[in-house]
């Protein structure tokens, strides 16, 4: 994912005070978007369109890699429903369909660019923690067991 410039409006809100009350509609939207974007296919489609611009359906599938036609169709339809991509059908035979990120999709990509930067920054720490956890688990098989 390309590094994107931060959105000034989002940054101003992020740096502001945490609100006392959470709007249930906003909370539901955040949970819904996280669930969809946490799906690896959505992130990979977002990244492919961000990198390559407008792509035909088959080109998009190749750019994403190892995605079935059915899963790609479901993913881009959901992204279109959420306003993240624009689907354009060209009136030719055979039909040609291409996909482009909308400004909303571009801004979501920029928001998740922060996760990429976090991963780059903390990669070594996460790997150390995983190795330490695996070593502790190997030396004491009950270390990860849950107690009632």
């Amino acid at each position: 994912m390309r590094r994107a410039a931060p959105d000034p409006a989002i940054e101003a809100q992020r740096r502001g005070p945490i609100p006392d009350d959470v709007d249930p509609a906003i909370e539901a939207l955040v949970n819904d978007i996280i669930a969809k974007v946490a799906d690896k296919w959505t992130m990979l489609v977002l990244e492919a369109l961000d990198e390559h611009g407008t792509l035909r359906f088959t080109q998009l599938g190749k750019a994403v890699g190892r995605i079935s036609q059915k899963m790609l169709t479901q993913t881009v339809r959901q992204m279109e429903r959420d306003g993240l991509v624009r689907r354009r059908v060209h009136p030719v035979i055979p039909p040609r369909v291409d996909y482009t990120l909308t400004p909303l999709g571009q801004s979501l990509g920029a928001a998740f660019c922060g996760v990429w930067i976090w991963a780059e920054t903390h990669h070594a720490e996460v790997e150390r923690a995983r190795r330490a956890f695996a070593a502790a688990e190997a030396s004491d098989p009950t270390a990860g067991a849950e107690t009632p």
Side-chain angles (χ1 to χ4, degrees), residues 58-131:
T58 53
Q59 293 171 321
L60 181 56
K62 288 177 185 173
V64 169
R66 297 181 55 180
I67 185 171
S68 70
Q69 190 170 359
K70 179 182 177 183
M71 184 54 67
L72 181 58
T73 298
Q74 288 175 353
T75 302
V76 293
R77 281 190 181 158
Q78 186 60 54
M79 292 176 76
E80 182 182 15
R81 177 183 167 269
D82 289 338
L84 304 175
V85 299
R86 186 185 81 241
R87 177 178 181 263
R88 184 167 176 222
V89 179
H90 299 272
V92 294
I93 306 238
R96 192 179 105 211
V97 179
D98 56 37
Y99 296 88
T100 306
L101 281 181
T102 64
L104 188 61
Q106 291 170 345
S107 69
L108 180 61
F112 276 90
C113 183
V115 174
W116 188 276
I117 293 167
W118 180 90
E120 284 179 336
T121 303
H122 298 288
H123 178 262
E125 292 170 74
V126 171
E127 288 303 315
R128 276 194 302 276
R130 288 177 175 175
R131 283 192 302 273

Side-chain angles (χ1 to χ4, degrees), residues 14-91:
R14 193 174 64 80
R15 289 192 174 93
I18 297 172
D20 293 330
D21 296 325
V22 176
D23 181 339
I26 299 298
E27 184 176 17
L29 178 61
V30 167
N31 291 335
D32 184 52
I33 294 296
I34 288 173
K36 288 175 185 162
V37 174
D39 165 7
K40 75 175 184 177
W41 298 123
T42 301
M43 285 305 297
L44 292 173
V45 167
L46 196 66
E47 183 177 15
L49 290 173
D50 185 54
E51 278 185 29
H52 301 289
T54 300
L55 291 174
R56 293 173 71 170
F57 184 83
T58 53
Q59 293 171 321
L60 181 56
K62 288 177 185 173
V64 169
R66 297 181 55 180
I67 185 171
S68 70
Q69 190 170 359
K70 179 182 177 183
M71 184 54 67
L72 181 58
T73 298
Q74 288 175 353
T75 302
V76 293
R77 281 190 181 158
Q78 186 60 54
M79 292 176 76
E80 182 182 15
R81 177 183 167 269
D82 289 338
L84 304 175
V85 299
R86 186 185 81 241
R87 177 178 181 263
R88 184 167 176 222
V89 179
H90 299 272

